[in-house]
Amino acid sequence: MVVSLQENAQEDLIERGFSRRNFGKIAALLGAAAASPTAFIGTASAQQQAARSLKGGTIIGANECWTGPFASGVQAIAKYAAAGNRYDPDDLKDKLISTVAATEGVDQSVVRIWPGSGGPLVSIVAAFCSPTKGLVTVDPTFESAWRTAAYLGAPLAKAPQTIGKGADVKAMLASNPNAGLYYICTPNNPTGTVTSLADIQWLLDNKPAGSMVLVDEAYIHFSEAPSALKLLGNRKDLIVMRTFSKLFGMAGIRLGLTFAAPEVQQKIALYNAVSGGISITAMACGAAVYTEAGLIKARRNEMIANREETLAWLGKKGIEYHPGAEANMFMVNWKKPAKEMQTALLTEKVQIGRNWPIWPTTSRITVGSAQDMANFRAAVEKTYKA
């Protein structure tokens, strides 16, 4: 997809140290993000097994939910599929925004909806990083931001992730005290660990003036931890991002959220290359499921039970796993190349996640249904030798 940068975006880029020679490259970046939400998520082909279809197998490699949207969401999709000849027949965009705002206790002006969360993450990095203002994250974490920063030529600093802990915000700040964007995924992907609100507040209080903190809460509904939305208030240096892809089971439906001050949302929107609107079926589904507090809790509790049963089994088998996971994933250290175990488990039709370069012997395992996890345990029993 070919896009053109708005005049305001061009002026902003010049002010942040980009040259006009960069415009075509940045436009191509935004076009790629709009055309393919996963354009900047990819890893080496050997690791892509976690995202491939495995018909008849156990798919616990891509942090998807083991089941689809709640019944209310499916019913909403069916209703509005029949109205697909209209762009937005019942003001569904406004309904979704008002539903989210009321549920979260925030003003509607701080809520923006997106077709998924991959696109806005690229847009946020483009809006706040530059050749002189870099990106800071932990390592390992969700890499899309890394790839975007590298593409832009922005400095990238990675603070090592402490096993079993949330982000080390002091190490993050020390790694680049003059960054443009500090990115925290909490619960973190791939570790599932949570960064406390106290630590996020410390980073907000001590970071350089003018920089932004992005808190990616893609997995927050799987955790009982409080949301960073509690810190937003009138701040203009905090962005909170959400997605419906995880607990809500809407990965293929494509719906996401950002929460930020209106002027911050406007800045992000300068680098939004998404053409057209969001499907009415996605918006209707999102509005229907977002208020299902009882069902959200029940699905979270089901995931926790499945996760803890499997971790207890691994412990009894003497297989090392990382503690502290509070989301639908955990890390297993096989004490051998993780790719070998990924391949071995595929022979048993169990598809697990990959490893990150910093931990080459450790795989990310997505928590699936009770049957999924039973299949995983049986496959490990057959294939794992210490």
Side-chain angles (χ1 to χ4, degrees), residues 121-197:
L121 181 52
V122 170
S123 297
I124 290 166
V125 175
F128 299 105
C129 292
S130 72
T132 58
K133 297 290 185 180
L135 171 71
V136 176
T137 77
V138 298
D139 184 12
T141 195
F142 185 55
E143 304 108 316
S144 179
W146 295 353
R147 298 176 186 280
T148 305
Y151 186 91
L152 292 170
L156 174 59
K158 304 174 185 178
Q161 174 74 41
T162 302
I163 291 176
K165 303 292 184 181
D168 185 339
V169 292
K170 293 182 180 178
M172 288 178 68
L173 184 59
S175 68
N176 185 348
N178 194 36
L181 180 66
Y182 296 87
Y183 172 67
I184 296 174
C185 185
T186 180
N188 185 40
N189 176 14
T191 63
T193 52
V194 168
T195 302
S196 70
L197 293 191

Side-chain angles (χ1 to χ4, degrees), residues 1 13 15 35 88 97 112 126 150 175 194 210 219-220 235 268-269 292 301-302 309 324 339 348 364 377:
M1 178 184 293
L13 290 169
E15 289 177 3
D88 190 357
I97 290 174
R112 183 181 177 94
S175 68
V194 168
Y219 301 93
I220 193 68
R235 301 195 73 104
I268 300 168
E292 296 276 22
N301 288 344
E302 181 180 354
E309 180 181 12
K339 293 179 186 179
E348 299 297 324
R364 182 191 67 193
R377 295 191 296 270

Side-chain angles (χ1 to χ4, degrees), residues 24 43 60 127 144 158 168 177 187 214 222 243 249 264-266 308 310 321 330 374 377 386:
T43 58
I60 51 172
S144 179
K158 304 174 185 178
D168 185 339
L214 169 61
F222 276 124
T243 183
V264 174
Q265 298 278 27
Q266 291 170 10
E308 296 307 307
T310 299
Y321 63 87
F330 56 88
R377 295 191 296 270

Side-chain angles (χ1 to χ4, degrees), residues 15-353:
E15 289 177 3
R16 290 191 287 129
F18 289 97
S19 74
R20 293 188 179 277
R21 292 190 299 274
N22 299 126
F23 288 179
K25 185 176 182 179
I26 294 169
L29 163 75
L30 301 178
S36 174
T38 58
F40 286 82
I41 300 174
T43 58
S45 59
Q47 293 293 332
Q48 284 299 335
Q49 299 176 62
R52 292 177 181 164
S53 175
L54 183 66
K55 291 184 179 180
T58 299
I59 302 173
I60 51 172
N63 286 355
E64 298 159 317
C65 191
W66 62 89
T67 189
F70 300 131
S72 58
V74 175
Q75 292 165 8
I77 289 172
K79 173 182 176 180
Y80 281 98
N85 58 309
R86 304 296 181 190
Y87 289 111
D88 190 357
D90 291 327
D91 295 322
L92 290 171
K93 180 179 179 181
D94 289 342
K95 179 180 179 181
L96 175 57
I97 290 174
S98 64
T99 297
V100 169
T103 302
E104 300 296 345
V106 298
D107 191 82
Q108 293 184 32
S109 66
V110 308
V111 182
R112 183 181 177 94
I113 60 175
W114 301 78
S117 58
L121 181 52
V122 170
S123 297
I124 290 166
V125 175
F128 299 105
C129 292
S130 72
T132 58
K133 297 290 185 180
L135 171 71
V136 176
T137 77
V138 298
D139 184 12
T141 195
F142 185 55
E143 304 108 316
S144 179
W146 295 353
R147 298 176 186 280
T148 305
Y151 186 91
L152 292 170
L156 174 59
K158 304 174 185 178
Q161 174 74 41
T162 302
I163 291 176
K165 303 292 184 181
D168 185 339
V169 292
K170 293 182 180 178
M172 288 178 68
L173 184 59
S175 68
N176 185 348
N178 194 36
L181 180 66
Y182 296 87
Y183 172 67
I184 296 174
C185 185
T186 180
N188 185 40
N189 176 14
T191 63
T193 52
V194 168
T195 302
S196 70
L197 293 191
D199 281 347
I200 296 171
Q201 183 68 63
W202 184 93
L203 183 58
L204 287 165
D205 292 342
N206 290 275
K207 68 174 182 59
S211 67
M212 300 295 296
V213 173
L214 169 61
V215 180
D216 183 346
E217 294 187 339
Y219 301 93
I220 193 68
H221 290 96
F222 276 124
S223 170
E224 295 175 317
S227 168
L229 283 176
K230 294 180 179 294
L231 306 178
L232 183 58
N234 295 319
R235 301 195 73 104
K236 297 177 176 61
D237 57 358
L238 175 62
I239 305 163
V240 178
M241 189 165 68
R242 298 270 187 90
T243 183
F244 287 80
S245 296
K246 307 306 174 181
L247 181 139
F248 292 110
M250 294 170 58
I253 298 171
R254 310 308 304 146
L255 190 63
L257 300 165
T258 52
F259 300 85
E263 51 265 58
V264 174
Q265 298 278 27
Q266 291 170 10
K267 176 77 176 287
I268 300 168
L270 287 177
Y271 302 96
N272 171 25
V274 177
S275 62
I278 300 168
S279 73
I280 59 173
T281 50
M283 292 188 291
C285 184
V289 302
Y290 208 76
T291 58
E292 296 276 22
L295 295 177
I296 291 169
K297 181 178 180 180
R299 186 171 286 186
R300 178 171 61 242
N301 288 344
E302 181 180 354
M303 184 281 299
I304 292 172
N306 296 344
R307 184 188 68 209
E308 296 307 307
E309 180 181 12
T310 299
L311 293 180
W313 182 86
L314 290 169
K316 289 179 181 177
K317 291 291 181 181
I319 301 174
E320 180 180 302
Y321 63 87
H322 291 186
E326 296 188 32
N328 64 325
M329 70 196 91
F330 56 88
M331 305 294 282
V332 175
N333 184 2
W334 307 108
K335 303 296 181 69
K336 65 177 74 175
K339 293 179 186 179
E340 293 181 8
M341 278 303 298
Q342 187 183 44
T343 300
L345 289 170
L346 272 176
T347 66
E348 299 297 324
K349 302 201 75 174
V350 173
Q351 180 192 75
I352 65 168

